[in-house]
Amino acid sequence: MKTFIKATLLSAWSIIGLLATTQAQEFSKLTPKQIGDKITLEYAISGEAVGQQFTVSPFYSIDGGKSFLPLKSVKGNVGNNIPGGRNQIIVWDVLKDLKELDSDVVFKLEGVSKSVVPLQDDFRDVLFKLESLNRTPDGNVELILSITNNGPTRDLKMINGLITITDFNKRKYDAQKGKIAEVEGNERYSTPQRTIKKGENVKARFLFERVPAEVDRAMRLDIGIELITDETYGIDLKIGKLQFRDLPVSTVQTTGMRVEQTKKLQLASSPEHFTIRKVEVVDNNPPVIELISPANIPLVGKEATRGRPYAQSSIGMDDKRLRSLATGEELATTDEFTMVKAKVTDESGIYDVTVNGISAEPAKDGVFQVKVPLEIGRNEIVIRAVDLRQNSIEKKFFVLRKSPSGKVAKGDTEELDLVFDSPKTAPRYFALIMGANDYADDAITDLDNPIQDATKLYNVLVNRYTFDPSNVIFLKNPTREQMINAMDWLTRKVTKYDNLLVFYAGHGFWDKETDFGYWIPTDSKSNSTANWLANSQIKDYVAAIKSKHTLVIADACFGGSIFRSRKAFEEGSQSVKKAFDAPSRKAMTSGNLTEVPDRSVFLEQLVDKLNNNTKSYVTAEELFASIRNVVLSSSPVTPMYGDIKDAGDQGGDFIFVLK
């Protein structure tokens, strides 16, 4: 909505000053892809220090790399203050810089780093600064935090077992030893606890003893916290969780290290031909997926529902590790991985293919092969393909991984089946959906699409997912009073076992001076904020509604100091069962405080993904990550995802459940 108002390494570097030695910093995995009249450059930065930032500049060459010109019309992870990590993307709007492009192109990235910005977060006026995540001389992983209490005197408790590292294979490691200042706890379930006075700064150290040597990055670092304040009328206990994502594990301790350096990085892609002209191409057909291996396994499309049986094999398996179950010729294995080989074709060309969130790079004939990790129990293997015209398709099949003993064990999704298939235990799903088109004040421009967009979301939620229409409030052209009344009703109705989705499409406003964001109800006036709905008030309702999971989706601004943006991973950063178990307060928004167009590519992609999804359970993080790059490359906005601060988020995620 409108706001109101593959790759050759060429590394060279010069170090001016370092107070400690770190591993080599470098660009990696520079992959250009075309989508419509845009070209995306996907890349990664590895080997950086915790909090190190870079200035990233992209270039292109049409003479085989002899000379390079800068890309001008770009957005995404480009320019100043770019952190290290995976899943970086630059979007080049080709036809803004060139009349047309029909050539072999070499792309190059240049990066310079001169600074480190502290990675820090706060919980209830206690600031936690991540000083080091490093290997110790004996091969363990060490976490060092600097903690400053900016609030009243209270006790800080940090349970070792709630200080966790998750790697990019979703393996989770707990801290075995912990220390806050002089207070130690040397067992997994030890609970170091210390009184911290107002203004006091203390150091905390946690040791992880079982992290494999090959783990050099953490997908996520979770820090469980309890703050205990002795008040006049009793004890006030606040429980929270901080989270940092995509962190390097350095080879040395970086505590107190100043990276006063100029670090120059370069990386060039292999030549690849691109043809982009100002021609309108009509293509509404999604890609075609043909599964090659495992052979003779039918692929299931969007008609899939929870409880669908395993994919059936029409032939016997030559590999003795694959064996049938007593219930039929179901594909089963005791292996930790399965190889998926398939062919994907499309009349316009393929932009992206993933298998369970793992990126696949099809050859020229469209054939790709991906090694997919398997968990004990039933595994959904989901193949998703997107063409150059943003058409997408999703197909899946099942593989059953037995335990090493050969026994059949329940996987994450099967455990969730037990919850959702029982009328006694199935949680209810509530939704508040709002679309604002027509504004009473003539000074506020009316919009064409919010109600239509909201209707599309309503239809997919009640028809494909576990949203009972009686638990869904749909407000068209809502006034402020109607919004407040609806949230008051949800406060009384929703329980701690239920889940809530709040969606708003309409005008929004961001006040840079006050750092306030607003949703604009239809009875608002342009010259008065009296009827505007502040994002901070929305946050207060999110905190007050006693749901297990709450997800706010805003096709308008929602951010600032109450929205903590997180890097989202397409395969999710944790198992779906763990995401379900821990309470969450999450948000995703179409734009980052900038003007958002009336025609919402964000909403189109969101509804398309929900319509074509084949997974029984999909997290909000997976949903967002699967549409982010397409939205970024097809519209002027930069979508965001993260958690809502001080609203009760404990590291879980909202789960969309197919009927």
Side-chain angles (χ1 to χ4, degrees):
M1 301 302 107
K2 291 182 179 177
T3 59
F4 178 46
I5 55 117
K6 211 175 283 189
T8 304
L9 185 62
L10 309 170
S11 289
W13 57 88
S14 61
I15 300 178
I16 293 177
L18 259 179
L19 300 185
T21 303
T22 61
Q23 56 263 60
Q25 302 154 33
E26 60 184 18
F27 285 123
S28 60
K29 300 180 180 179
L30 174 56
T31 307
K33 297 179 180 180
Q34 180 180 344
I35 180 166
D37 56 4
K38 312 290 196 308
I39 292 177
T40 64
L41 305 178
E42 299 177 5
Y43 70 97
I45 300 176
S46 60
E48 81 284 7
V50 170
Q52 188 170 2
Q53 297 193 336
F54 299 81
T55 298
V56 177
S57 304
F59 301 85
Y60 75 101
S61 170
I62 57 175
D63 58 8
K66 295 178 182 178
S67 61
F68 285 88
L69 294 172
L71 304 183
K72 297 179 181 179
S73 301
V74 292
K75 64 176 181 176
N77 304 115
V78 62
N80 299 323
N81 305 320
I82 304 302
R86 305 186 181 190
N87 301 337
Q88 313 273 26
I89 184 172
I90 298 172
V91 179
W92 180 27
D93 195 338
V94 178
L95 296 180
K96 284 187 177 180
D97 290 354
L98 306 172
K99 290 184 178 180
E100 64 177 35
L101 179 64
D102 188 5
S103 177
D104 289 345
V105 184
V106 176
F107 291 96
K108 181 179 69 172
L109 294 181
E110 291 185 355
V112 178
S113 175
K114 295 182 179 181
S115 64
V116 169
V117 175
L119 289 182
Q120 59 189 36
D121 208 342
D122 67 276
F123 177 69
R124 303 290 179 177
D125 294 325
V126 179
L127 183 66
F128 296 79
K129 183 165 70 173
L130 200 164
E131 292 198 344
S132 189
L133 184 66
N134 60 273
R135 289 283 176 179
T136 62
D138 54 2
N140 295 321
V141 171
E142 175 184 56
L143 167 66
I144 298 178
L145 298 166
S146 174
I147 304 171
T148 303
N149 180 23
N150 296 314
T153 297
R154 48 203 156 163
D155 281 7
L156 169 64
K157 182 189 293 187
M158 303 176 72
I159 303 172
N160 291 347
L162 297 182
I163 315 298
T164 64
I165 291 172
T166 303
D167 67 17
F168 279 88
N169 289 318
K170 297 187 184 178
R171 298 174 298 189
K172 189 175 179 181
Y173 312 96
D174 301 338
Q176 278 75 47
K177 297 180 180 179
K179 183 178 182 180
I180 304 175
E182 72 285 351
V183 180
E184 296 187 56
N186 294 323
E187 301 292 339
R188 180 182 182 276
Y189 292 106
S190 295
T191 308
Q193 179 173 334
R194 188 185 187 277
T195 300
I196 48 175
K197 299 178 181 179
K198 183 174 182 177
E200 185 177 7
N201 173 268
V202 297
K203 299 284 187 180
R205 177 180 183 269
F206 296 89
L207 198 65
F208 305 81
E209 297 180 337
R210 300 183 179 92
V211 183
E214 69 270 15
V215 175
D216 60 0
R217 296 196 76 86
M219 175 184 274
R220 54 188 280 173
L221 167 66
D222 290 291
I223 302 173
I225 303 161
E226 292 184 10
L227 293 175
I228 307 168
T229 307
D230 189 356
E231 298 185 331
T232 304
Y233 300 103
I235 300 297
D236 179 45
L237 171 64
K238 300 296 183 184
I239 300 175
K241 177 175 283 191
L242 303 179
Q243 188 181 111
F244 300 90
R245 294 194 168 203
D246 201 355
L247 301 173
V249 180
S250 64
T251 56
V252 297
Q253 188 181 113
T254 57
T255 304
M257 186 183 81
R258 298 198 318 274
V259 185
E260 298 173 348
Q261 60 176 322
T262 298
K263 177 74 176 180
K264 294 184 179 180
L265 314 175
Q266 287 188 6
L267 182 65
S269 69
S270 299
E272 190 170 338
H273 194 91
F274 291 93
T275 301
I276 297 177
R277 297 187 177 96
K278 293 182 179 179
V279 178
E280 187 66 31
V281 177
V282 178
D283 174 15
N284 297 316
N285 300 316
V288 176
I289 301 174
E290 176 190 354
L291 184 62
I292 300 172
S293 177
N296 300 298
I297 298 295
L299 289 172
V300 179
K302 63 177 289 185
E303 69 278 3
T305 58
R306 284 190 305 113
R308 179 173 290 276
Y310 297 99
Q312 298 291 313
S313 173
S314 62
I315 61 173
M317 290 295 176
D318 294 329
D319 190 337
K320 293 182 180 180
R321 292 172 298 177
L322 300 175
R323 45 190 178 272
S324 301
L325 301 177
T327 55
E329 292 296 319
E330 295 162 333
L331 182 59
T333 182
T334 57
D335 289 347
E336 296 182 1
F337 296 88
T338 187
M339 295 301 300
V340 176
K341 185 177 183 180
K343 182 176 183 178
V344 58
T345 55
D346 185 85
E347 59 186 276
S348 296
I350 298 299
Y351 167 66
D352 189 48
V353 179
T354 59
V355 183
N356 282 17
I358 303 171
S359 182
E361 296 185 13
K364 291 184 178 180
D365 61 359
V367 175
F368 65 87
Q369 184 168 290
V370 174
K371 185 179 181 180
V372 180
L374 299 174
E375 297 180 354
I376 296 293
R378 186 182 66 184
N379 291 260
E380 289 181 305
I381 310 299
V382 179
I383 306 173
R384 175 176 167 82
V386 182
D387 69 13
L388 299 188
R389 301 297 162 188
Q390 305 168 30
N391 302 302
S392 64
I393 191 170
E394 193 168 292
K395 297 286 186 178
K396 73 174 178 180
F397 63 97
F398 293 98
V399 175
L400 179 69
R401 181 186 168 196
K402 294 182 178 182
S403 64
S405 65
K407 294 182 179 179
V408 177
K410 288 185 174 63
D412 277 354
T413 59
E414 291 164 296
E415 290 185 11
L416 287 177
D417 286 345
L418 296 175
V419 174
F420 283 93
D421 290 343
S422 171
K424 293 183 178 180
T425 59
R428 297 178 298 176
Y429 274 72
F430 289 81
L432 170 58
I433 299 176
M434 300 171 285
N437 282 20
D438 306 320
Y439 287 83
D441 188 342
D442 291 338
I444 304 177
T445 306
D446 289 342
L447 300 172
D448 296 326
N449 296 314
I451 292 177
Q452 179 181 340
D453 291 343
T455 301
K456 291 176 181 178
L457 181 62
Y458 171 87
N459 288 337
V460 70
L461 291 179
V462 300
N463 292 328
R464 295 204 74 216
Y465 296 87
T466 53
F467 287 82
D468 188 318
S470 64
N471 293 329
V472 179
I473 303 172
F474 190 175
L475 299 179
K476 300 177 181 180
N477 291 320
T479 64
R480 188 180 192 279
E481 182 180 1
Q482 289 172 328
M483 288 180 168
I484 295 296
N485 288 342
M487 287 187 279
D488 284 340
W489 182 83
L490 290 168
T491 303
R492 297 188 300 269
K493 189 74 173 179
V494 176
T495 75
K496 63 181 181 180
Y497 304 106
D498 300 325
N499 304 288
L500 171 64
L501 182 149
V502 177
F503 172 79
Y504 171 76
H507 276 306
F509 178 75
W510 182 257
D511 190 325
K512 294 181 180 180
E513 294 184 3
T514 63
D515 200 29
F516 279 6
Y518 300 88
W519 292 350
I520 311 299
T522 56
D523 59 343
S524 298
K525 294 183 178 180
S526 61
N527 59 358
S528 171
T529 64
N531 280 351
W532 300 9
L533 187 62
N535 286 178
S536 57
Q537 189 170 3
I538 300 165
K539 186 209 77 169
D540 290 340
Y541 271 106
V542 170
I545 296 172
K546 296 178 173 59
S547 60
K548 184 168 186 178
H549 300 284
T550 294
L551 173 65
V552 176
I553 304 177
D555 209 354
C557 68
F558 185 82
S561 59
I562 66 173
F563 178 73
R564 185 189 287 111
S565 181
R566 300 290 189 203
K567 179 179 288 189
F569 300 98
E570 189 157 352
E571 70 277 20
S573 61
Q574 59 185 327
S575 73
V576 66
K577 179 64 166 57
K578 291 177 180 176
F580 174 76
D581 286 345
S584 68
R585 301 292 183 269
K586 293 291 191 286
M588 65 172 75
T589 176
S590 58
N592 57 341
L593 316 183
T594 59
E595 185 167 329
V596 182
D598 191 10
R599 173 185 172 260
S600 175
V601 175
F602 169 79
L603 196 280
E604 289 175 1
Q605 290 296 317
L606 179 71
V607 172
D608 180 73
K609 171 62 179 179
L610 288 169
N611 263 319
N612 290 287
N613 168 52
T614 63
K615 298 184 71 173
S616 302
Y617 308 94
V618 60
T619 66
E621 179 182 351
E622 289 179 275
L623 177 65
F624 175 83
S626 69
I627 68 172
R628 174 185 177 270
N629 287 0
V630 175
V631 174
L632 190 63
S633 59
S634 305
S635 69
V637 303
T638 301
M640 300 176 69
Y641 160 88
D643 51 77
I644 303 170
K645 295 177 64 175
D646 298 332
D649 187 275
Q650 295 184 32
D653 203 355
F654 188 95
I655 311 292
F656 291 87
V657 183
L658 281 176
K659 286 184 175 179

